[in-house]
Amino acid sequence: MLKRVLVLFLLTVLVPLFPGSPAWADGIIIPKPPPHLPKVWPELTIKYHRVQVAITDQVATTRVDQVFLNEADFPVEGTYVFPLPEEAAISSFDMWVDGEPLGGRLLDRDEARRIYEEIVRRRKDPALLEYVGRDAFQAHIFPIPPHGERRVQIEYQEVLLKDQGLVRYVYPLNTEKFSARPLEEVSVSVELESEAPLKAIYSPSHPVAVDRESEHRARIGYEARHVKPDTDFALYYSLAQEEVGVSLLSYKPPRQEGFFLLLVAPQVEVDAGDVIARDVICVLDTSGSMQGEKLDQAKDALRFVLDHLNREDRFNIVAFSTGVRAYASYPRPVSEVQEAGRFVDRLEAVGGTDINRALLEALTRGDAERPTILIFLTDGLPTEGVTEVGMILTNVAEAAADSVRIFPFGVGDDVNTLLLDRLAEAHRGATGYVRPGQAIDEEVSAFYAKVSRPIMADLRLDFGPIVVEDTYPYPLPDLFAGAQLVIVGRYRQGGAAEVALSGMVNDRQHRLSYEGLHFRREGGEPFIARLWATRKIGHLLSEIRLHGESQELVDEVVALSIRYGIITPYTSFLVEEPEAALTRRGREEIVRQEVGRLASTPAAVSGGKAVDRAQVQGALKVAEVPPEVRQAEVRIVGDRAFVLRDGVWTDTAYDPSEMKPLRLGFATDAYFRLIAHHPEWGRYFALGQNVIVVLEGQAYEVIPGEDASQASTASPAPPQPVEPAPGPVVSVRPKPSSLWESLLWFADRWLVALLGR
């Protein structure tokens, strides 16, 4: 039986090596070559792959629906293998194919690991090491007729664990290593229900849509087409009775400072009396360039805001072009909304653009004693009155009270991104850009829906004895009902923490305390490091663009981009200069070049490219998911970035000029001993036969080992290895047959034992 299982798993590695091999999803169909055509490998493609998840009080039922298409001219049969989620407590596992139940068996992680290792030894392909530490399910698939389909449906249950108030669900969606071409359709739908109130709902792996139906129910969805999923789908949610829930995730690499992610999630349903009363001032550009559809959409946006004011709110409207026209001399109550709507209807587009006067008029018509949100819509540059950006910013800073939050919206590409972004930065708001072809009313109404129910302003966090630093976003934005804050930062030492959240609720100070939170002393979720690096890069790029370049800022951007693989149009050093990126001297040269480029060619502040840059940097600053890497020569594994250099996947933390690697023979006993001792390292070694990775301060270089030197004629030739760097080679020799070989054998065993420790 074991021999048969080995053969079946062997095929999981063989098939992807052939052109036109099947596209697999999380479950793997392993086709068998037909007896009369033993050298012909059948083609299977995926028509769709859909996942529906129902989570009720921490019990998750996962239903998988896939359709496989046999594109060959003969029937195909095979075996289906499903890698189970890590740490899953499976209560039952049922599998159906075309309406018929199939028998199968569960493979525990030890048995699966032994099978994976044997496959790697035979096939010289480490891809399955990605799944070391996981159980698996296996079942036989009946023959699929020529050009026919086979629908596979799986259902399994598991009990989800809760840690520090957070419940974690993971679905194994990492298929990149086993997919010959993109999947036509991938979707994951989660229905979440709990007796305890739901607070934070967060996915660090995929951009998801969250629909909160009530305090106890929510729907989460992810959908994509023509993609190669290479990351497991992960979902976190928190349960708490408090009015504002606080949950903590942390990650601390060995002998380094840690990274944390704090989720602050208020309740969805709040009493009207708990919503902060505020003034809402809408400042609308009615210059001649707004004529037509743009002005009509802007009017619709204003009506949406007026219709969604809270009971105790007040409002005002300021329209501007060459001059300024205000609805009222001071903020008015919601009882006047209908009359204000008629004022909006009469607005016309004519004249120039006096931004300075419009903002000052709006601020002087507000109330410094009340929280104020100022929504500013413009489609152009300042052309009337004060037009110098620095002077406008100074004037607004002097006129605005500390309670004012400014949210500029740039309509089209002919806007001054420097002015809009610095207004938002200085007054704790955020900038929105409505590109040509986008609807103004949709963008503004979506924004206002998120900020329509403020419940706490001027937020402050206190972590007690835990020293935290470099947190983002900074300063903290206000807290709104039904919306959550995702805060990332660094910490020095792990341990227990009592987190205090304070802020203003109307005219009084409000403080909430949370006990039982713990910063890890080691280990945790590696994605947090990349998310922190993403936000810091966004912050640094904005600082450079808004306030001028400096060598220190550029140096930080270059170092973070290379270390964590954060690649954007403005941080592509790892792709454009991989050789230089891997050495300290090379990175210094990159910084010198970037500083020179920034000094000689200042970035444009308006136009399509300027808006592109502003949007990219703004998205990085508030990112909730680490960015994907779409370059074939760069891979992300955990918190590490690898670049393909001369056929070797090289960790960007490795500096060949300063590090001496410990060399491992691929597929040797020492190689597998190391992975068995550190199963979590299997994902790094799964990259290939030629890998350099830095783990716990030690560089490891995987090279072809003595028992891995014979390449199979059935697979493409392996990449040519680079000349090995000086350093010890750890391998395993055959049983000795002479005194000299005995000495070599004992030397090898000593090195193996040393490595094992």
Side-chain angles (χ1 to χ4, degrees):
M1 181 64 185
L2 178 60
K3 182 178 180 181
R4 182 187 177 193
V5 174
L6 287 172
V7 172
L8 292 174
F9 270 93
L10 179 60
L11 291 174
T12 69
V13 184
L14 274 173
V15 176
L17 298 177
F18 286 85
S21 58
W24 290 329
D26 57 295
I28 304 167
I29 281 191
I30 310 167
K32 296 179 180 179
H36 61 291
L37 297 170
K39 294 184 179 181
V40 175
W41 293 91
E43 290 192 5
L44 296 177
T45 58
I46 290 180
K47 196 171 183 179
Y48 65 75
H49 169 211
R50 300 165 183 162
V51 183
Q52 291 185 322
V53 187
I55 303 176
T56 304
D57 294 324
Q58 293 180 236
V59 176
T61 300
T62 302
R63 299 178 181 88
V64 184
D65 187 0
Q66 298 171 263
V67 169
F68 295 87
L69 175 64
N70 174 20
E71 298 180 336
D73 295 326
F74 46 81
V76 172
E77 63 177 317
T79 299
Y80 187 87
V81 177
F82 185 92
L84 295 174
E86 297 180 48
E87 306 299 334
I90 305 299
S91 59
S92 66
F93 201 114
D94 300 314
M95 181 170 177
W96 296 74
V97 175
D98 292 349
E100 296 293 329
L102 287 185
R105 71 187 191 98
L106 288 171
L107 308 174
D108 65 36
R109 62 195 60 193
D110 291 334
E111 181 180 9
R113 180 176 60 81
R114 288 192 297 270
I115 293 172
Y116 296 157
E117 289 183 6
E118 184 62 26
I119 294 170
V120 173
R121 290 182 192 274
R122 293 190 180 189
R123 290 301 312 137
K124 318 305 179 228
D125 187 332
L128 287 175
L129 295 179
E130 174 76 21
Y131 303 112
V132 168
R134 291 191 184 186
D135 297 340
F137 182 83
Q138 172 187 299
H140 179 70
I141 297 290
F142 297 115
I144 307 174
H147 304 286
E149 297 179 353
R150 183 69 71 213
R151 185 179 185 183
V152 178
Q153 295 174 295
I154 301 174
E155 179 176 315
Y156 64 92
Q157 292 80 35
E158 58 185 307
V159 178
L160 306 180
L161 302 180
K162 182 166 64 173
D163 182 20
Q164 299 197 79
L166 277 173
V167 182
R168 178 176 182 253
Y169 170 83
V170 176
Y171 177 76
L173 197 60
N174 187 346
T175 66
E176 190 272 340
K177 291 185 178 68
F178 305 108
S179 184
R181 50 183 167 272
L183 281 63
E184 293 184 15
E185 176 190 342
V186 178
S187 64
V188 181
S189 174
V190 182
E191 293 188 3
L192 183 56
E193 185 173 359
S194 173
E195 288 189 9
L198 297 168
K199 288 298 190 291
I201 299 175
Y202 172 67
S203 173
S205 60
H206 294 78
V208 297
V210 178
D211 178 19
R212 292 177 177 268
E213 299 177 359
S214 69
E215 292 281 3
H216 302 272
R217 291 179 58 87
R219 295 174 62 88
I220 302 96
Y222 163 75
E223 184 174 334
R225 294 179 179 274
H226 306 293
V227 295
K228 283 188 177 181
D230 60 359
T231 305
D232 289 347
F233 178 86
L235 180 71
Y236 290 89
Y237 65 93
S238 64
L239 308 170
Q241 297 290 343
E242 297 94 346
E243 56 183 304
V244 178
V246 168
S247 304
L248 176 71
L249 288 170
S250 57
Y251 169 64
K252 193 171 188 302
R255 298 184 293 278
Q256 298 180 37
E257 291 188 351
F259 305 82
F260 74 89
L261 181 149
L262 195 73
L263 297 170
V264 180
Q267 56 200 35
V268 177
E269 302 165 359
V270 294
D271 295 333
D274 294 330
V275 176
I276 296 175
R278 62 182 178 173
D279 291 344
V280 178
I281 302 176
C282 297
V283 181
L284 174 62
D285 184 346
T286 57
S287 61
S289 58
M290 286 287 291
Q291 191 170 14
E293 185 180 17
K294 284 198 288 188
L295 183 60
D296 291 340
Q297 291 182 353
K299 289 181 178 181
D300 288 340
L302 289 186
R303 295 187 188 97
F304 180 90
V305 172
L306 293 174
D307 291 341
H308 289 80
L309 293 170
N310 297 310
R311 184 178 57 194
E312 300 300 324
D313 287 345
R314 302 185 307 186
F315 73 93
N316 204 348
I317 301 169
V318 176
F320 74 96
S321 54
T322 300
V324 173
R325 182 184 178 192
Y327 168 72
S329 300
Y330 50 88
R332 305 302 300 161
V334 294
S335 58
E336 294 187 17
V337 162
Q338 287 188 345
E339 183 178 345
R342 290 189 287 272
F343 172 83
V344 171
D345 292 339
R346 293 192 296 269
L347 294 177
E348 297 179 353
V350 62
T353 309
D354 194 340
I355 290 176
N356 180 75
R357 182 179 174 186
L359 291 174
L360 295 183
E361 288 271 1
L363 291 170
T364 56
R365 295 173 187 270
D367 185 344
E369 300 301 318
R370 280 169 63 101
T372 300
I373 178 173
L374 191 153
I375 302 172
F376 171 45
L377 283 83
T378 181
D379 77 332
L381 308 172
T383 59
E384 303 275 351
V386 177
T387 59
E388 200 273 315
V389 168
M391 183 61 70
I392 295 175
L393 293 170
T394 299
N395 293 341
V396 172
E398 292 176 352
D402 292 341
S403 59
V404 173
R405 306 287 186 263
I406 298 181
F407 294 88
F409 281 84
V411 180
D413 290 341
D414 295 326
V415 293
N416 190 308
T417 61
L418 186 66
L419 171 61
L420 301 187
D421 286 350
R422 289 186 66 177
L423 281 170
E425 177 193 57
H427 301 281
R428 300 177 72 167
T431 313
Y433 290 96
V434 185
R435 306 304 296 271
Q438 291 181 306
I440 302 171
D441 52 338
E442 292 179 3
E443 297 294 322
V444 175
S445 59
F447 150 76
Y448 191 75
K450 297 177 182 178
V451 301
S452 61
R453 295 178 297 163
I455 59 174
M456 190 179 294
D458 298 325
L459 297 185
R460 298 288 187 275
L461 278 168
D462 184 351
F463 293 88
I466 301 297
V467 178
V468 305
E469 54 200 2
D470 229 357
T471 59
Y472 302 96
Y474 181 83
L476 292 174
D478 297 339
L479 192 60
F480 302 92
Q484 64 190 22
L485 295 183
V486 179
I487 303 163
V488 295
R490 302 294 305 269
Y491 67 95
R492 297 182 188 175
Q493 298 295 330
E498 181 177 342
V499 176
L501 173 67
S502 59
M504 297 299 296
V505 177
N506 290 318
D507 295 329
R508 57 186 175 83
Q509 185 77 20
H510 192 53
R511 180 183 174 89
L512 301 169
S513 296
Y514 304 87
E515 298 179 348
L517 300 177
H518 185 84
F519 287 79
R520 288 181 180 269
R521 301 186 188 276
E522 190 169 314
E525 299 292 342
F527 80 85
I528 302 172
R530 291 196 72 240
L531 181 59
W532 171 84
T534 300
R535 289 197 174 183
K536 176 151 191 174
I537 286 175
H539 169 77
L540 294 171
L541 290 175
S542 291
E543 287 294 301
I544 292 170
R545 183 171 63 90
L546 300 181
H547 305 291
E549 80 286 343
S550 72
Q551 182 164 332
E552 291 78 9
L553 296 181
V554 175
D555 184 69
E556 280 196 88
V557 169
V558 171
L560 289 169
S561 173
I562 292 171
R563 169 62 181 83
Y564 294 101
I566 311 298
I567 300 173
T568 74
Y570 315 107
T571 59
S572 54
F573 323 111
L574 191 58
V575 175
E576 295 175 355
E577 303 179 69
E579 291 294 326
L582 293 178
T583 65
R584 178 174 54 82
R585 183 173 297 179
R587 289 190 288 271
E588 290 173 353
E589 178 60 22
I590 291 174
V591 171
R592 188 189 67 78
Q593 293 174 358
E594 285 296 308
V595 170
R597 182 184 62 81
L598 290 169
S600 61
T601 56
V605 299
S606 64
K609 290 184 178 180
V611 176
D612 287 342
R613 181 181 291 267
Q615 286 189 303
V616 168
Q617 294 174 3
L620 290 174
K621 288 174 66 175
V622 298
E624 295 191 1
V625 178
E628 295 181 5
V629 176
R630 301 185 183 277
Q631 286 76 12
E633 63 271 27
V634 179
R635 296 274 183 87
I636 302 298
V637 183
D639 68 335
R640 299 190 171 277
F642 291 80
V643 61
L644 189 61
R645 178 174 175 262
D646 297 328
V648 180
W649 285 107
T650 305
D651 188 342
T652 59
Y654 172 70
D655 188 336
S657 65
E658 298 181 356
M659 295 181 178
K660 188 175 183 179
L662 181 64
R663 292 155 63 202
L664 284 166
F666 170 73
T668 58
D669 285 350
Y671 174 87
F672 289 117
R673 185 189 301 274
L674 181 65
I675 295 173
H677 188 64
H678 295 282
E680 70 278 11
W681 291 4
R683 55 188 174 181
Y684 306 115
F685 292 104
L687 283 169
Q689 288 192 33
N690 299 83
V691 177
I692 298 177
V693 58
V694 181
L695 298 167
E696 297 186 357
Q698 173 64 57
Y700 296 89
E701 180 179 8
V702 177
I703 61 174
E706 285 192 11
D707 58 351
S709 59
Q710 300 299 319
S712 170
T713 58
S715 61
Q720 293 298 315
V722 296
E723 185 68 19
V729 178
V730 182
S731 63
V732 176
R733 297 178 178 271
K735 185 177 180 180
S737 59
S738 68
L739 177 60
W740 175 245
E741 289 185 3
S742 296
L743 291 174
L744 292 176
W745 186 83
F746 278 111
D748 272 344
R749 302 311 298 172
W750 179 80
L751 285 172
V752 170
L754 179 65
L755 179 61
R757 290 194 296 268

